Amino acid sequence: MSNSASLASLADDFERFKRELPRDFPAHVRDAYRINLSARYLGEPLPHPVGKGSGQLSLNVGQLETDAEAGLAFVVLKTVIAQDAAGAQSMGAWAIHESKMKVERRGAGWTVTWKGRGWDRSFEEYLALVRAGWDLTRDRHLLTVPSVKYHLPRLDEPFRDGEYANTTTALAKAWGQSPLLLEKDFSPTLAGDPLSDEKAQILRWLREVPQHVRAHGDVRLAMKLMNARFDDDFQREMVNAARAADALVVFNRLYDVEHGVAYGGVELSDRNLRVLARLTPGASPGIPELSGTGNVSSGRMIVDYALRGCSSVQLHTFFQLPLEEYAATDGSRTQRALHALIFDPRDGLVAVMLEREAAGLLHRRDGELHFLDLLPDAYRSH
Ligand SMILES: Cc1cc2nc3c(=O)[nH]c(=O)nc-3n(C[C@H](O)[C@H](O)[C@H](O)COP(=O)(O)O)c2cc1C
């Protein structure tokens, strides 16, 4: 099919799928457009790059089932606060309860204002969610990944290995197989905490956390880096310090010191894309696999992250917009969001990949365009 014929059928698909998005839309995209959306997160192959970031939208089995039904590629479970065998949590200040979220416009984008932090129910209840997530993962309905906030010491303190041991072992047991896939959360509220006043302290965490987690199990570890309250150069130093991880999620929300809240929107994606563009992936050892997060609200933004090395993206805010913001008229928010991200005739992933082909920036291999070909060479080999 010619590029213009593809664009015409894309407009038809966009209209048709407003009422119902086919669960296996990646197969449809491959058949109809010869576009292969295969992507990757934490070394796992994905049918397409769109997943859900950790947060209030992955707290229970019902949410996971809805996402599996919609055909989402993966979901990171809400962050649990690590605890030792006696139940003590050094990061207990993050296990607070707060249910109210406010979805607001911020500049040209959206942000969610929320004062809560980590998982606020029992660790046993979290393990039950991990087991349910494993069932969906095993049956290939939906890749799920737990997320933890472990103890982070001051420079003159040792790591509390009791927390690392107890939490990692319990999660590995709840997870069905080895290796355990896991995200370690360095959250934006942590960036606002006095603990993060010192650069050397943050860099030590990033260098040493992987060995403290892996000491207690066969773990494939993603580290979700915060946007620290320092400049872009330091953000790059953080990435370099975190090279022992298997993947990096780049980068969690910005922190507004004055109002004491984390925020997203265009400022977040601007900062993230700016820092990612300045990384030097060819250096040795290379930068781990990257998963982009922050203001992903169109296929065009997925491409912006991919062009800077991200083989998947993790969204939160775009799954939470008022219903009238989505073009789709039926389906769950996850389905409506996917409909826009993939099929929007101007800014959807299919449209932008075709646009790059027409501009001579993306080429077919064996007759197909490949999402992963958007990544710079040095990131493709993961
Ligand atoms: C209400 C809310 C709660 C969140 N909770 C967590 C969390 O517990 N752990 C975590 O790693 N990220 C958390 N996040 C960050 C999101 O996963 C995501 O990385 C971030 O919001 C940037 O993506 P977005 O611009 O699409 O929202 C939270 C975000 C929001 C809005």
Side-chain angles (χ1 to χ4, degrees):
M1 205 180 345
S2 70
N3 205 279
S4 56
S6 291
L7 287 174
S9 71
L10 185 57
D12 285 348
D13 278 347
F14 184 65
E15 281 309 310
R16 211 154 54 96
F17 296 157
K18 280 181 179 171
R19 286 181 304 280
E20 191 177 2
L21 181 73
R23 188 189 180 281
D24 197 357
F25 62 85
H28 172 76
V29 168
R30 204 164 174 184
D31 280 354
Y33 304 96
R34 310 293 315 275
I35 292 181
N36 184 334
L37 295 179
S38 296
R40 191 173 51 239
Y41 173 60
L42 249 182
E44 296 292 307
L46 304 174
H48 63 84
V50 186
K52 180 181 272 184
S54 173
Q56 303 322 98
L57 309 177
S58 48
L59 289 170
N60 59 55
V61 183
Q63 290 168 325
L64 298 182
E65 284 170 348
T66 301
D67 289 341
E69 187 58 36
L72 201 63
F74 67 101
V75 172
V76 184
L77 306 181
K78 177 68 188 171
T79 299
V80 73
I81 311 304
Q83 60 180 52
D84 67 16
Q89 297 175 310
S90 61
M91 309 299 275
W94 272 268
I96 58 166
H97 178 74
E98 167 67 54
S99 55
K100 257 208 314 247
M101 285 187 275
K102 209 160 131 207
V103 182
E104 306 170 284
R105 286 190 188 274
R106 187 174 174 115
W110 292 86
T111 189
V112 181
T113 305
W114 181 61
K115 296 246 177 174
R117 293 178 168 194
W119 179 263
D120 60 6
R121 286 175 270 153
S122 72
F123 189 50
E124 283 63 38
E125 284 171 278
Y126 192 77
L127 294 176
L129 181 65
V130 172
R131 279 191 288 271
W134 164 250
D135 288 344
L136 290 166
T137 304
R138 178 200 53 212
D139 298 341
R140 304 205 170 277
H141 290 318
L142 177 70
L143 173 65
T144 66
V145 175
S147 163
V148 185
K149 191 188 288 309
Y150 290 99
H151 172 240
L152 296 172
R154 294 175 191 288
L155 263 184
D156 55 356
E157 285 174 350
F159 280 79
R160 290 195 196 165
D161 276 310
E163 279 189 13
Y164 281 79
N166 182 62
T167 307
T168 312
T169 315
L171 289 171
K173 209 167 132 208
W175 188 250
Q177 85 183 11
S178 217
L180 166 68
L181 305 183
L182 191 63
E183 256 190 32
K184 156 71 180 136
D185 170 26
F186 294 86
S187 67
T189 46
L190 177 66
D193 192 271
L195 261 182
S196 299
D197 284 348
E198 269 185 72
K199 291 181 178 177
Q201 197 152 283
I202 297 176
L203 295 175
R204 174 192 177 209
W205 297 336
L206 298 175
R207 266 194 302 270
E208 297 185 15
V209 157
Q211 75 212 44
H212 287 277
V213 176
R214 291 183 187 131
H216 304 289
D218 181 10
V219 179
R220 212 186 282 160
L221 182 69
M223 296 211 288
K224 184 168 185 178
L225 305 187
M226 60 193 177
N227 265 301
R229 287 172 297 129
F230 301 108
D231 61 11
D232 291 5
D233 283 340
F234 183 68
Q235 204 64 29
R236 288 167 62 208
E237 269 188 72
M238 286 173 60
V239 171
N240 287 330
R243 284 175 191 242
D246 296 293
L248 300 178
V249 187
V250 286
F251 300 98
N252 210 331
R253 302 202 295 166
L254 297 161
Y255 191 71
D256 178 338
V257 180
E258 193 187 328
H259 299 100
V261 292
Y263 67 97
V266 179
E267 287 155 87
L268 175 60
S269 48
D270 280 354
R271 153 108 161 175
N272 288 353
L273 295 171
R274 197 171 66 228
V275 171
L276 291 175
R278 291 186 54 211
L279 298 178
T280 43
S284 176
I287 294 174
E289 181 197 286
L290 299 178
S291 184
T293 193
N295 192 37
V296 174
S297 45
S298 67
R300 197 170 291 283
M301 186 66 85
I302 297 174
V303 170
D304 282 339
Y305 275 99
L307 292 172
R308 291 159 183 79
C310 298
S311 57
S312 68
V313 286
Q314 310 190 3
L315 292 61
H316 196 288
T317 303
F318 195 62
F319 291 129
Q320 262 187 304
L321 301 187
L323 277 184
E324 62 271 17
E325 293 298 320
Y326 303 104
T329 51
D330 288 283
S332 61
R333 273 194 171 70
T334 311
Q335 282 168 321
R336 294 179 200 219
L338 285 168
H339 167 257
L341 293 169
I342 307 296
F343 291 102
D344 185 285
R346 206 186 57 187
D347 289 322
L349 184 54
V350 171
V352 178
M353 287 180 70
L354 291 171
E355 180 186 298
R356 294 186 70 81
E357 181 190 23
L361 297 168
L362 184 64
H363 304 286
R364 290 185 183 265
R365 276 191 290 121
D366 302 326
E368 289 186 332
L369 295 177
H370 294 255
F371 168 76
L372 287 173
D373 283 354
L374 292 166
L375 275 59
D377 281 346
Y379 289 102
R380 272 193 222 159
S381 53
H382 287 295

